[in-house]
Structure formats: C-alpha cells, structure tokens
Amino acid sequence: MVASRAIGSLRRFTASRALRCSGYICRSFTRSSVLLTRTHINYGVKGDVAVIRINSPNSKVNTLSQELHSEFMEVMNEVWSSSQIRSAVLISTKPGCFIAGADLNMLNACTTSQEVTQISQEAQKMFEKLEKSTKPVVAAINGSCLGGGLELAISCQYRIATKDKKTVLGSPEVLLGILPGAGATQRLPKMVGIPAAFDMMLTGRGIRADRAKKMGLVDQLVEPLGPGVKPPEERTIDYLEEVAITFAKGLADKKITPKRDKGLVEKLTSYALSIPFVRQQIYKKVEEKVRKQTKGLYPAPLKIIDVVKTGIEQGSNAGYLSESQRFGELAMTKESKALMGLYRGQTQCKKNKFGAPQKEVKQLAVLGAGLMGAGIAQVSVDKGLQTILKDTTLPALGRGQQQVFKGLNDKVKKKTLTSFERDTMFSNLIGQLDYRGFEKADMVIEAVFEDLNLKHRVLKEVEAVIPDHCVFASNTSALPISEIATVSKRPEKVIGMHYFSPVDKMQLLEIITTEKTSKDTTASAVDVGLRQGKVIIVVKDGPGFYTTRCLAPMMSEVIRILQEGVGPKKLDSLTTSFGFPVGAATLVDEVGVDVAKHVAENLSKDFGERFAGGSLEMLRQMISKGFLGRKSGKGFYIYQEGVKNKNLNSDMDSILASLKMPSQPDVSSDEDIQYRLVTRFVNEAVLCLQEGVLATPTEGDIGAVFGLGFPPCLGGPFHFVDLYGAQKIVDRLRKYEAAYGKQFTPCQLLVDHANNPNKKFYQ
Amino acid sequence: MNQNFKMTSLLTYTFKNLPSTSKWALRFCVRPLSSSSQLQAAADSQTKSKKTLAKPNIRNIVVVDGVRIPFLLSGTSYKDLMPHDLARAALLGLLHRTIVPKDVVDYIVFGTVIQEVKTSNVAREAALGAGFSDKTPAHTVTMACISSNQAMTTAVGLIASGQCDVVVAGGVELMSDVPIRHSRKMRKMMLDLNKAKTLAQRLSVISKFRLNFLSPELPAVSEFSTSETMGHSADRLAAAFAISREEQDEYALRSHSLAKRAQDEGLLSDIVPFKVPGRDTVTQDNGIRPSSLDQMAKLKPAFIKPYGTVTAANSSFLTDGASAVLIMAEEKALAMGYKPKAYLRDFMYVSQDPKDQLLLGPTYATPKVLEKAGLTMNDIDAFEFHEAFSGQILANLKAMDSDWFAQNYMGRKAKVGSPPLEKFNNWGGSLSLGHPFGATGCRLVMAAANRLRKEGGQYGLVAACAAGGQGHAMIVEAYPK
C-alpha cells in the first residue's frame, strides 16, 4: 500500500519499458539497401520516398545516442539534397521499439550542466531542421516511442503508429528528474493542447496508440498483423512501412494534409487557451497541484511548467533556450541522479541473474486465499500461469476468488482488458479446499497466517502430496525461512517469497534464501516473480530479512516520537514532507497494529537494544482496545467507509498520555525528528549490506523504495548516503546516540564510508 | 402449388416407400456387403476412375439432390418474410425436385446463424409448415458460416451410425431482419415489472427507469472473443499475406463474371423458384453484378480506413436465402429408385486463433481432409471454397502454397499447394452469388456435385471458413453415371 501511491508514476513508466522487445535482433539486416556502412541507420529509396530504418546493433532498444544522432543527420542531409527524393519515412526495424529515449549514459558522462545544455541544443537544432523540412517526413512508430523518441516523432510532419499494446508514446523524463530537452516542451503544447501536454510531461505517463490518435499525437493507426508471409512482428513492421510510404507520397503530392479536424470541445478549449488570463489560471492551477504533490522535493515538474510557460508567453526562441538551460540544470541535481540510479536499479532487478530454472513452473499452487494469497494468485493467473488457490473453508476461498475476479474486472472497467480476456485469465484459477492436483504442482506458495506452528503443519502436509521437484515458497514478512524449513524433508527446495500488499499494485518481491536453498530453487522463484511482473531483490535469510528489518527500527522510533508528544498528524506531515508517500502513523494503521507488534516483538528479541526506542506497550494497549488500524476501522485514525478525510482517534489520547515520555529539545526539532527516523532506517540498511543479508546496494535501494516507500527523490538508502554524504549521516547518528543510546550507533560500514569520502556505494 | 406437392408426395409415398420402410434391422446387417459390391461396380464403370473412398464397415452416404431458393441481397424481395418462410420454401423445393415422400424422411437438420427468437428451432417450424410429418424430429445447429455444413455432417453421422436412413439437411439466413433487443437494463426492468404484485411495487420498479434504457441492443457484428469485425480481420489477413487491393478486386470481378456466365448458361440448376407472397416469383440470384476494375477501384475501404484494401465490392454482401439437400444411405436411395448425385465422403472441422487466423479455416482443413481421404490436390477436379472476402480467399491460397506457413503454423512438413484456379469456384462463389450465412454450405456441396456431373471428374473439395476461427472441408465424390 505504502509506496504504491508515490511511485505510481514510476511504475507506469517501467511498465511500458517492461513491455518492450522480446529480442529479434538478428532479423533486421535482410532488407537493407544502398548503404551498409552505418551501424544504427540504413536507408533505401522506394520510388521517390526515402525509407530510413533505425536499428541500433547489440541492443534490445534503440536509444538516441551521439552516433545515432550524427548518422541520422547525415542521412537527412542526403535526403534533402537528393533531387530524386520527395518525401521520407522514418521507421525502426527493431521489434517493439521505435526509440526508447535518449541515451542515459550520454547524460551521465556529462560533468557540468553546460555540457548537458549543449547536448540539448544540438538535438533542438536537428529537430527544428526536421520540423521545417520541405520534404515531408512520416514517423512510422511501432513499439515504445519515449522521451527523445517522441520528440523526434513530433518533429516529423506526420505520425503513423501501430495499434499494439507495445506501442506507447510518452515523455517519461520527469520520472528521471529531468525534462524533455529536445523541443517537446515547445511542440507538445501546440500539438495536443496545453492541458494534455502538461499531463504527459508532468506524469510521464505512457499513452497507448489509440489514445494518442484521439489526442492528435499521431495521425493514423495501423493494425498489427497476424502470421502471413512472415512472422507477425516482422510483417507488421513491413506493413507499417508500406502504409507510411503511401502517406509520405500523399503528403508530397499534397493529396493529404497533416492537419487534423478538431472536435467542438477541442476547438473551444483551444479558443479558451488563446486568452492570456485563462492560460495564467492554468499555469497557476497546475503549479499548485504539483507543489502539493511533490512537496517541493522534486524540482523537475516545476521547471517543466516554467519552460512551457516561457515558450508560450515569450515565443519559441526563448522557450528553446529555457528548455536547454533548465535541462542542463536538472541533469545535475541530486534528485535526478537518485531517480536515474533507481531506474537503472529497477532494470537490473528485472533480470534473473540465477539463470533459467531447470524446470519452468507451469502449475502454481497458493495456500491461503487471504489478501496476500489471492493477490499472488491474481498476478499469476493474469500472466497465464495455471494456479490452484487453496483454503480451508468455502467462505474464505470464495472471498479470495472474488478478490481475484474484482482485480481483473477493475481492469475491464478501465478498458485495459476485455471481458473475454478477463474470463480466460480467471479460468486459470482453480479454487479448492483439498490437495487435489498438488501432485502436478511445480511450486507452492503458502500465504497462511504468520504463525510458525501453522507454517510447519502446512509445510508437512504439502510435502506429503507434492512431487520431488516442487518448490515450497513461504510468503512471510518476518518469520525466518530457515526456521520454517526445519521440518522440511528437502530444505533445498524451501525458499521465502515476501510479497507486499496489495500484491497487484506493489512492484517489489523480496526473495529470501537460506543456506540450504539450492541455486535452482532460487532461479525458479525469481523466474516466477519476474513472470508475475515483479521487481526482485534476493536477500539472505535472517530475522526480518531486509525490508522488515529496515522498517522495524524506524517504527520503533515512530512510537518513541509519539510518546514524546508529537501527534500522529504532525508526524505524518513530517514524514510525507520528507518524501515518504505515506505518513509514519498512517503506515502503522495500514500495516496493522497487531502485525507491527508481532514483528517488533520478534525482532527485538533478535536484535536487542538496536531496535529499542519506543515502548511496545503502546501497541499492546492499542490491540487490547481493538485499535488494529485500518482493518478494524480504528487505529491512530478513524476509518469509515466513504469518508475521505480521516479523523484522529480521540480514544488514543489516554494511551498516548499514559505512555508519555519527556522529549529532548536539542534532538526534537522537525528536522531532527525526520532524521531520527531516516538515519535509523539507513543505518540498518547499511548494516544489512555489511552483514551480507543484501548482496548489492542496488537491491537495498530498490527494496526500500519499491517495498517500503523510502523517498524516491533520495534514491534509496544507499544512494542517499552517497549523495547526502556518509559523514553527515554519521554525525547525525552520533548526535542522537548521545541523546538516546545504542540504537543510533552507526554501523561499521557506514563509519568506513564516512572516514573515506572516496568510498561510494555506487562508483 | 402446395396442393400439387401434397398430391405428388402422397403418390410417391405409396409407390416408393412400401418396400423399404420395414426390415430396417435386417438391411442394416447386410448393408456393408451389398454396398461395397455396388460401389465396386460403380467405380469400375467410371471413366476417369481413381480409387474409391468407400470405407469398409461404414455406410456409403449419398446426396440425392439439393436445392436452394435464389439468394437475394438482403432488404429486397424476401425482406418481409421470416426465416422459417425461406427454409420452408427450400424444403418444398426439395420435395418437389426429388419427389421424396415426406414420411420417409427420418430427420431434419437446419443450420442458421442469426436466430429469430420466435423460431429458435427454425428447422422444426419450417418442417411443420412444409407439411412434413409431425412425427419427424428436427433440430437446428449453429456454427457460423459453416452451419449448414454442420447440418449435413450431422446427417452423415446419423446415417453412418445407423440411426437414420434419410435426412434432410439445410440452412437458412434472413439478414433483412435481425433481432434487435431492448437493452439489458430495460429487459431487467420489464421482467421485474412482471413480478411486481402491487401498484406500489410497480411504481417503484418504474421509478428506476432512465432514458438510456431505451437504447437498443444489436446482434453482434464482431467476434465476441476479440471484438473485431470480420471485415476488419479480413483486411488484416490480406495485409499479412501482402495481397493488394488490385488482386482482391480482380478476384471479385472473376467471381461475378463466372457467376454471371453460370447464370446465363443455366448452370445454377440447384435454384428453385420461390413465389414470394405478395410479390413476383423470384427465379434467380440478384447479387451477381460484374463491374469493371475501374469502377471497383473507386470504392473506399469499408473497414480499415482510409488505407485498407477490403471494400464493399470485394466482400460478400448481406444475403437472404435458404438451401436444403436430401441425404440418404446409398442402399436406401437405390432401393427407392434414385440416381444420387454424389457421395459425401471424408470431412473435417478445424479451428485456430480467432484473432489473426479467423478466416484461414480452409488452409487448415484442406490438407487434413485430403490426407484423411488419401487424396492429393491433383486428385480434385472441382474446388468449391466459400468466398467470404476476396482477400480471405487469396490469403488462403497463398497460405496453402507456403512451406513457411505450413511448417510454422500448421505443424506440417510441407505445403499442400494451392488449388489451380481453373478448377476453382468456376460457377461463381459467395462473393457474387451471395452468402446467407446458414445456407452457404449446402450450396457449396451442390455446386461441387453439379460441376462434377457437368464437367466430368470424380472428386470435389468443399471448404469454408467461419467466425470463431473455425473451418470445414469435405470431399464430395461424383456418383457414377
């Protein structure tokens, strides 16, 4: 629940990236003609139409790199100077990808904002030349057309896109903390209108082809083809090219005009936007909204608004200049570096570094049809995985099945699925009360109640019916997997798969391996997780694994802060303004007070004073009064169906009063409170790396951001240490240590980094 | 006219039926022997004798004859009728043509696609109306454009298994009228209103009424599973096989020209005239309109706009029509003194991806049925393929001629080869003659049988595609003259 809201936009971005490409790299050169000397582009002439085909070698995607840029310029100059050519088609022969964006390495290699600004200006110039081309250029778009790819496409005179799920257009730069630096801030508002342009650039959302057509972002759609004279993907690209050529000819012959008929609403809107006052109001509204949502933590959205405004109000020369300058500035910000780091980390955590499992899981079984179990089933069946959902009672099972159905049906309502697709997906789910069919299961994921005895019983029951190769995965947030595995006959097949709630929204999957877990078992679990669309971190077993372990000390501090008299509302606003998507007190309510207590008790047994701070008595008293958080309707807040603004639970006052502790003024400023929470989190994360629970800092950052809602603008605990400075963090910890004790003692690895400023988690 | 039919059928009943209605069980036992010897003789007498397709221990099944009422563009002369009226006309035509006694008919099966809700078992309503015995059961099958093929093969199954000796199979479609319904919300309200007892309850039901309840619900024109219309899929299919607009127009023109010639030369002998109540007697198909390529080139694409290739001119049109065939066990037909037109031999149903291969049924079914019958493309003398769209036919021809497609999508070692055009739909096809969904299958079989008789030749191959990504093929063997 926690992180899903804030990172929602990030997720959307990656979803579109994930859709990209399935690897048909070898095919593309069969149709090349004229010039084979270029590596990224080849072009041929059909009649009087130049067909420019992009396909970067050795990569799943095309990116706008320096070389591609210069080859494209070369080719365009030939096109413009040739008397034989009257129009051009620009197409990618890479399946599932037009151009996925600018080459991030090119930006990362820059050390000053001036360098970045220069890159932007070169691209601006090229695209301006393209826009002013007297020979019409048609962009034929199949697959992702993002960032710089979209900027290139909208500089062309005409756009034709395949109506394929893989074809997504968007400006996701904002998600990387930058802005579209090659003219999109100037062209998009003119093309799709100011509101839609803001929406695209500020959310970074990917737009499917049919929607893009309605918005006026593309001019024609081409239906993807099935098998015919060639494999579908290949033939679709050929067909797209053929159609694009006819339109290129039509444009050159002036039989087709690139102008599009606008609807009445559109005409009215564009009329309204021609009034300066209306525009000012829009800028103001959008800015307000952005400030509210980003809490001033993300500079990119505000700069985007500013650049768009400059272009519209002061002319495009000023706009382009502002775009390139702001682009340069943004690329140098900590936020941008943090977000780009996250993006890279996310890409890494979408790969199976354990290789392909010996036996692919075809039949999955999930035990327990509760919130988690049903969620796991849902993300499995919608990817075509046959899944048995088993519970012990019919009502419990029915509730779980309904949850899966509702999850799928909501997608039908949003029109991302058809009712028919929903039905076939739902048919992959078999609900049952017994162990029938488990003899064919390749993996069993148990999501029963968090109780070691129960888990032991279930494991024994399951092992009696499953085949030898079947993996037993436990979905638990805190019970050590090795303890669960003690009763197993085959501990090498036992693994932890820690999903986050709600499973269909949260991207993270934490996989926990014990010393006995075999590599193939891990490979199998990662494979299933990837098929379920998860971003995966693999950690070593231990109390709380990685995610729960990092969260626990922070939660302990939350209780301490509440005991010191900071109200839940104030605490929430302090944490959200630091960049957490959900306030700390709300988080306790969401997680469930009983769960929090359960975890805290277990972990404080294992970790002792490092997890000290707040008194668990508060949680115990809350439980005794039935304040379990959202699920019981009361926690720190009161939750009512249909009531949007939640109110404080006034019955908490007496509990808070009875446990009140004096605050220490020198460590209780707003900033101190924020840092007390964050430094404990970070310290524990670094300790996990030090102890080998985490294999890489990347996984630590991904786990913290995607599983726990660590502020994305900080890039995760390890990026935070790198960017903020280990020394500063150690200084803070020392200060709090002096006030509170050992729970704030910085771990050795953190101290090492503080002592040696050259030491970075990310080189 | 009706009176006449009754008279003749009564006469023939007494005349033909007496010896054969009894002793059914006995005949069943001796049949294999007798029929195979007959067949042997038949095969010997054939001039262009290839091998026989008779199978040991399975009855030979023959088409005695078949008819259809003229296929008309929907919205023309049949527009005020109901589907069972057309089906009845076809049945009466069949009775008249074959003079089969009504009581001999053991069973009646009809195919239809868009069901008139009042006559959901249209076979039964038509049979009763045509004066068949009320003791003759009838059922209706539906399998999209191969519904009447399904009706015929159902008949084959009934006869082969010994359940029946004489079955009438047919098909009907009336596209001039389709069941347009109230919206689900409106229906629900009306049903609730029915249940409401008191005035207060009724008022409370009525109070839920909203204006949008009145928007009607049309029968689906698109594939349910994919929400894609067939024309749209055909256009994509044509593109997938790189078939140009010109090729499609040329093929459509060929179909219309051949149909026109067949009509002019009186080859479409399966047509029976139909006196439409209140209108003139309809004697011929009215959708045959040979045009010129220039004229056809002017049309705009009908589905994928503005650059698609499927147009009104190269697609089959909405058609009203009905057809019926009389199918018998061979020995029964001979015993009744009939000279059958053809054997119905091996048949095959296939199905594949309803999205991208919606209309490729013939490609899949053809090699399979040939293999099953032990024949090759060269053995076939008459091809009768259902023409849904020019693009669909040309795509199927190309697919059948592609080793790559056979290997990658059909799991075959090599292509089956495409049928030679000189043997292909020589008397026109669905593009020109029309395509009443439920009735086309019987037309294909009769066209194959009649062509084999007229042109000489032993084997005909009938194939068709159908919505849902299904397909059918059947071998029709000429009955020895």
Side-chain angles (χ1 to χ4, degrees):
Chain A
M1 176 67 63
V2 187
S4 66
R5 290 173 202 163
I7 327 173
S9 46
L10 243 184
R11 178 156 33 81
R12 244 178 278 139
F13 170 44
T14 48
S16 66
R17 283 200 71 114
L19 282 169
R20 218 179 285 152
C21 293
S22 36
Y24 296 89
I25 302 169
C26 49
R27 202 184 324 122
S28 46
F29 287 101
T30 51
R31 297 169 51 81
S32 58
S33 54
V34 187
L35 280 168
L36 283 167
T37 47
R38 298 187 184 94
T39 51
H40 298 267
I41 292 181
N42 72 67
Y43 96 102
V45 182
K46 289 192 172 176
D48 56 7
V49 184
V51 181
I52 305 165
R53 305 191 187 93
I54 309 169
N55 195 348
S56 294
N58 309 322
S59 165
K60 279 187 175 179
V61 295
N62 295 324
T63 49
L64 271 184
S65 59
Q66 214 94 52
E67 298 112 74
L68 181 67
H69 182 120
S70 57
E71 284 187 17
F72 179 66
M73 222 38 226
E74 237 175 81
V75 169
M76 280 315 296
N77 283 331
E78 281 183 39
V79 167
W80 284 319
S81 60
S82 160
S83 56
Q84 188 205 340
I85 296 168
R86 298 184 59 223
S87 59
V89 166
L90 182 60
I91 192 169
S92 155
T93 48
K94 205 177 277 295
C97 178
F98 178 69
I99 294 176
D103 180 9
L104 288 187
N105 295 329
M106 175 172 80
L107 294 184
N108 289 325
C110 299
T111 49
T112 63
S113 63
Q114 284 78 12
E115 282 175 67
V116 182
T117 300
Q118 189 166 354
I119 290 178
S120 160
Q121 282 169 343
E122 277 165 26
Q124 283 177 350
K125 264 183 229 150
M126 171 167 86
F127 291 167
E128 199 184 353
K129 247 183 121 177
L130 187 59
E131 187 182 36
K132 294 198 172 134
S133 168
T134 46
K135 297 180 180 177
V137 182
V138 177
I141 303 161
N142 177 51
S144 42
C145 173
L146 301 171
L150 180 73
E151 299 185 285
L152 172 59
I154 59 174
S155 307
C156 295
Q157 280 68 41
Y158 207 74
R159 282 149 298 282
I160 302 177
T162 54
K163 196 179 158 190
D164 190 297
K165 279 189 178 172
K166 284 181 188 164
T167 300
V168 177
L169 298 93
S171 284
E173 288 88 347
V174 69
L175 302 175
L176 299 174
I178 50 177
L179 56 75
T185 60
Q186 308 304 305
R187 286 191 188 94
L188 266 184
K190 287 180 196 143
M191 182 168 272
V192 297
I194 298 173
F198 272 138
D199 181 63
M200 284 179 70
M201 289 188 284
L202 295 176
T203 63
R205 96 171 83 232
I207 292 169
R208 297 241 302 251
D210 43 357
R211 172 105 189 82
K213 171 95 180 354
K214 278 188 199 132
M215 286 169 63
L217 196 54
V218 303
D219 302 287
Q220 291 294 341
L221 295 180
V222 163
E223 296 285 333
L225 301 181
V229 289
K230 280 179 177 184
E233 298 86 352
E234 220 176 305
R235 177 63 196 139
T236 300
I237 292 174
D238 289 356
Y239 179 52
L240 173 65
E241 185 182 301
E242 288 161 17
V243 173
I245 288 173
T246 60
F247 278 96
K249 280 188 180 144
L251 286 163
D253 297 342
K254 305 252 181 321
K255 281 185 189 154
I256 302 166
T257 62
K259 273 200 183 142
R260 163 182 97 91
D261 294 333
K262 288 183 174 175
L264 182 65
V265 179
E266 246 176 292
K267 278 183 189 153
L268 286 175
T269 326
S270 63
Y271 169 72
L273 289 171
S274 66
I275 307 165
F277 174 74
V278 176
R279 288 202 302 272
Q280 293 306 329
Q281 290 305 307
I282 288 184
Y283 301 141
K284 222 174 101 188
K285 265 265 148 56
V286 174
E287 208 173 304
E288 263 169 34
K289 209 173 163 193
V290 164
R291 277 189 200 283
K292 202 175 157 209
Q293 281 182 352
T294 61
K295 308 207 184 291
L297 296 167
Y298 298 82
L302 292 173
K303 295 254 159 112
I304 290 172
I305 299 172
D306 182 48
V307 170
V308 169
K309 197 165 144 185
T310 308
I312 293 170
E313 305 303 330
Q314 297 167 33
S316 47
N317 280 345
Y320 282 122
L321 185 65
S322 167
E323 179 185 87
S324 61
Q325 284 172 346
R326 299 290 99 77
F327 183 65
E329 289 161 20
L330 282 172
M332 291 296 127
T333 57
K334 279 181 188 168
E335 289 82 2
S336 162
K337 296 210 182 305
L339 290 169
M340 287 200 197
L342 270 183
Y343 170 69
R344 274 191 298 271
Q346 202 187 9
T347 317
Q348 281 172 35
C349 292
K350 283 259 178 200
K351 290 179 185 147
N352 191 347
K353 53 186 173 185
F354 297 88
Q358 282 167 19
K359 192 170 189 306
E360 192 189 42
V361 173
K362 297 219 167 91
Q363 177 72 62
L364 183 71
V366 179
L367 298 179
L371 212 58
M372 296 304 285
I376 297 167
Q378 187 192 325
V379 298
S380 307
V381 293
D382 69 2
K383 312 296 182 318
L385 198 54
Q386 288 285 329
T387 307
I388 295 173
L389 182 63
K390 182 200 173 296
D391 208 304
T392 47
T393 67
L394 205 53
L397 178 63
R399 195 218 63 82
Q401 286 169 311
Q402 181 57 35
Q403 182 188 328
V404 177
F405 183 83
K406 185 175 179 295
L408 297 175
N409 199 38
D410 286 349
K411 289 190 187 171
V412 175
K413 284 184 190 155
K414 280 191 219 141
K415 299 202 171 157
T416 53
L417 276 188
T418 66
S419 62
F420 192 81
E421 285 166 330
R422 173 200 65 201
D423 296 345
T424 48
M425 285 171 183
F426 196 57
S427 299
N428 290 330
L429 185 76
I430 305 160
Q432 62 188 50
L433 301 175
D434 54 17
Y435 285 107
R436 202 185 317 146
F438 273 59
E439 70 278 0
K440 292 215 177 78
D442 302 309
M443 177 180 283
V444 175
I445 302 175
E446 66 80 13
V448 301
F449 189 70
E450 295 264 35
D451 174 79
L452 193 59
N453 291 328
L454 178 63
K455 301 233 179 212
H456 278 166
R457 206 186 74 213
V458 163
L459 174 55
K460 281 192 253 176
E461 275 177 22
V462 168
E463 280 194 348
V465 290
I466 54 175
D468 290 340
H469 72 271
C470 181
V471 172
F472 181 92
S474 189
N475 173 59
T476 167
S477 53
L479 294 176
I481 304 301
S482 47
E483 275 181 41
I484 295 175
T486 49
V487 299
S488 171
K489 287 185 286 190
R490 357 153 285 161
E492 73 281 3
K493 291 284 180 196
V494 179
I495 196 165
M497 289 173 87
H498 178 199
Y499 290 86
F500 293 77
S501 183
V503 182
D504 59 329
K505 301 250 159 51
M506 295 292 285
Q507 267 191 295
L508 189 71
L509 168 63
E510 182 181 31
I511 288 179
I512 305 106
T513 59
T514 72
E515 282 176 359
K516 289 179 182 163
T517 307
S518 74
K519 189 171 159 268
D520 186 56
T521 301
T522 313
S524 193
V526 174
D527 184 57
V528 167
L530 289 177
R531 279 154 71 195
Q532 290 168 334
K534 297 291 168 196
V535 173
I536 294 171
I537 63 171
V538 178
V539 305
K540 280 218 182 101
D541 191 26
F545 324 128
Y546 166 67
T547 50
T548 311
R549 181 169 160 184
C550 285
L551 194 60
M554 186 172 120
M555 281 299 145
S556 174
E557 201 59 28
V558 166
I559 295 172
R560 174 71 182 216
I561 291 164
L562 288 166
Q563 282 180 285
E564 287 179 4
V566 177
K569 274 210 166 147
K570 165 88 175 162
L571 180 59
D572 273 356
S573 94
L574 284 176
T575 34
T576 52
S577 66
F578 198 76
F580 283 93
V582 174
T586 307
L587 182 61
V588 177
D589 277 358
E590 294 285 350
V591 169
V593 178
D594 51 340
V595 176
K597 188 209 95 173
H598 186 75
V599 171
E601 277 178 351
N602 277 343
L603 293 185
S604 56
K605 257 184 264 163
D606 291 306
F607 294 109
E609 16 180 38
R610 218 178 51 256
F611 278 35
S615 164
L616 284 178
E617 191 51 32
M618 180 184 297
L619 300 181
R620 288 192 196 109
Q621 287 193 24
M622 285 174 80
I623 293 168
S624 70
K625 290 204 174 176
F627 302 154
L628 301 184
R630 179 185 281 276
K631 58 185 164 190
S632 70
K634 274 185 183 176
F636 290 109
Y637 296 94
I638 294 172
Y639 299 89
Q640 280 166 307
E641 200 71 41
V643 178
K644 213 177 170 193
N645 289 333
K646 50 186 199 249
N647 292 315
L648 276 175
N649 178 5
S650 54
D651 296 340
M652 279 302 295
D653 295 352
S654 62
I655 299 179
L656 289 169
S658 72
L659 296 168
K660 181 137 181 142
M661 292 177 90
S663 68
Q664 305 191 27
D666 52 333
V667 287
S668 297
S669 71
D670 284 358
E671 200 187 52
D672 277 319
I673 287 173
Q674 290 171 330
Y675 274 96
R676 275 161 61 189
L677 294 169
V678 174
T679 51
R680 283 193 75 175
F681 189 120
V682 171
N683 192 28
E684 200 63 33
V686 177
L687 186 57
C688 285
L689 184 65
Q690 182 186 318
E691 290 179 359
V693 170
L694 278 175
T696 61
T698 301
E699 288 173 293
D701 282 344
I702 294 299
V705 172
F706 290 93
L708 305 172
F710 193 89
C713 55
L714 306 179
F718 296 94
H719 270 118
F720 177 61
V721 173
D722 277 1
L723 294 170
Y724 185 81
Q727 185 61 53
K728 282 196 211 162
I729 294 171
V730 169
D731 289 347
R732 289 226 176 237
L733 280 163
R734 294 280 186 218
K735 177 179 164 193
Y736 304 138
E737 184 187 19
Y740 292 101
K742 285 196 173 167
Q743 64 263 40
F744 283 102
T745 309
C747 70
Q748 190 56 48
L749 184 58
L750 197 54
V751 174
D752 289 349
H753 274 247
N755 291 340
N756 181 358
N758 290 330
K759 240 180 147 178
K760 298 271 182 198
F761 290 111
Y762 295 92
Q763 292 304 329
Chain B
M1 200 162 166
N2 227 346
Q3 279 300 325
N4 270 345
F5 275 133
K6 273 186 186 152
M7 283 293 284
T8 45
S9 57
L10 256 174
L11 274 173
T12 47
Y13 172 69
T14 41
F15 182 69
K16 276 189 177 166
N17 221 26
L18 263 176
S20 56
T21 39
S22 54
K23 296 177 197 163
W24 183 85
L26 182 66
R27 272 192 302 106
F28 188 68
C29 298
V30 295
R31 184 186 358 100
L33 259 176
S34 64
S35 64
S36 59
S37 62
Q38 263 161 13
L39 204 270
Q40 203 56 51
D44 287 343
S45 71
Q46 194 104 22
T47 46
K48 190 183 156 187
S49 176
K50 295 165 185 167
K51 61 186 166 174
T52 174
L53 293 180
K55 288 185 178 158
N57 304 322
I58 294 182
R59 304 174 95 181
N60 278 319
I61 292 156
V62 295
V63 176
V64 172
D65 209 341
V67 300
R68 62 183 178 94
I69 57 170
F71 287 178
L72 301 190
L73 297 159
S74 62
T76 58
S77 294
Y78 299 156
K79 69 175 180 187
D80 297 326
L81 300 178
M82 285 179 69
H84 71 283
D85 295 325
L86 305 193
R88 189 176 65 241
L91 282 174
L92 290 171
L94 185 71
L95 288 172
H96 185 67
R97 174 77 59 92
T98 61
I99 330 182
V100 69
K102 288 172 187 161
D103 303 47
V104 177
V105 176
D106 298 318
Y107 206 96
I108 296 168
V109 197
F110 257 68
T112 195
V113 179
I114 309 271
Q115 291 202 340
E116 162 62 52
V117 286
K118 284 183 188 163
T119 56
S120 60
N121 187 1
V122 67
R124 178 65 172 161
E125 312 310 337
L128 286 173
F132 278 89
S133 158
D134 58 8
K135 303 287 190 294
T136 305
H139 83 261
T140 303
V141 293
T142 187
M143 199 172 180
C145 304
I146 51 178
S147 294
S148 62
N149 307 70
Q150 183 55 258
M152 288 183 291
T153 56
T154 302
V156 169
L158 287 169
I159 297 170
S161 64
Q163 306 296 314
C164 301
D165 289 329
V166 180
V167 180
V168 170
V172 60
E173 206 67 46
L174 183 76
M175 293 304 290
S176 295
D177 181 33
V178 291
I180 297 170
R181 301 193 292 180
H182 273 302
S183 68
R184 181 79 187 245
K185 285 174 188 158
M186 186 70 183
R187 271 150 38 211
K188 187 169 181 292
M189 197 187 79
M190 289 158 95
L191 292 171
D192 287 347
L193 204 58
N194 245 348
K195 285 184 201 144
K197 298 269 186 317
T198 66
L199 183 66
Q201 280 173 348
R202 276 188 206 129
L203 283 175
S204 113
V205 172
I206 289 171
S207 72
K208 287 180 193 134
F209 176 80
R210 297 289 175 275
L211 215 56
N212 68 3
F213 285 18
L214 289 178
S215 63
E217 219 175 80
L218 299 166
V221 284
S222 53
E223 198 70 15
F224 183 76
S225 60
T226 62
S227 311
E228 187 184 23
T229 60
M230 195 179 272
H232 197 277
S233 190
D235 205 320
R236 289 195 306 116
L237 186 71
F241 281 94
I243 292 157
S244 69
R245 166 82 183 264
E246 291 71 32
E247 288 173 89
Q248 294 180 45
D249 285 352
E250 274 167 26
Y251 183 84
L253 187 58
R254 171 191 189 268
S255 180
H256 279 279
S257 311
L258 290 177
K260 182 84 178 101
R261 200 175 70 199
Q263 192 177 48
D264 291 346
E265 291 175 9
L267 298 172
L268 304 175
S269 59
D270 53 341
I271 294 181
V272 290
F274 178 17
K275 167 71 181 81
V276 181
R279 288 173 191 264
D280 290 340
T281 301
V282 181
T283 56
Q284 60 177 21
D285 304 326
N286 71 357
I288 305 172
R289 289 172 300 177
S291 169
S292 70
L293 287 176
D294 289 344
Q295 284 294 321
M296 292 165 91
K298 284 183 190 157
L299 284 178
K300 285 191 173 153
F303 301 97
I304 296 186
K305 295 165 189 168
Y307 56 85
T309 53
V310 173
T311 67
N314 59 35
S315 315
S316 56
F317 47 88
L318 293 181
T319 312
D320 301 335
S323 56
V325 295
L326 178 62
I327 302 175
M328 288 193 192
E330 183 184 27
E331 74 277 10
K332 175 76 175 179
L334 295 176
M336 288 178 72
Y338 281 119
K339 179 81 185 163
K341 283 207 158 158
Y343 291 108
L344 295 182
R345 296 302 195 187
D346 293 284
F347 62 84
M348 183 62 76
Y349 288 94
V350 293
S351 57
Q352 61 283 333
D353 171 20
K355 171 107 186 128
D356 290 331
Q357 304 187 37
L358 181 71
L359 305 171
L360 283 181
T363 297
Y364 283 83
T366 300
K368 282 188 174 177
V369 81
L370 287 173
E371 242 160 51
K372 199 170 172 220
L375 299 175
T376 67
M377 271 303 198
N378 291 333
D379 294 322
I380 305 297
D381 304 300
F383 292 90
E384 279 295 328
F385 276 43
H386 161 52
E387 299 166 342
F389 302 88
S390 282
Q392 165 260 337
I393 283 289
L394 296 172
N396 273 286
L397 297 186
K398 250 188 170 171
M400 282 191 273
D401 208 25
S402 159
D403 277 326
W404 182 84
F405 193 83
Q407 285 155 4
N408 288 284
Y409 287 92
M410 296 165 69
R412 307 182 64 83
K413 286 203 182 79
K415 64 186 182 182
V416 63
S418 78
L421 269 187
E422 64 273 15
K423 294 182 183 174
F424 194 83
N425 292 5
N426 287 5
W427 295 355
S430 300
L431 285 172
S432 43
L433 301 172
H435 172 41
F437 305 144
T440 289
C442 293
R443 177 188 70 72
L444 293 174
V445 164
M446 286 323 296
N450 289 333
R451 275 180 56 197
L452 289 173
R453 283 173 75 85
K454 179 87 183 168
E455 298 166 353
Q458 191 175 349
Y459 296 120
L461 174 63
V462 166
C465 57
Q470 312 210 75
H472 168 77
M474 180 155 67
I475 303 285
V476 175
E477 184 180 355
Y479 201 83
K481 282 179 184 168

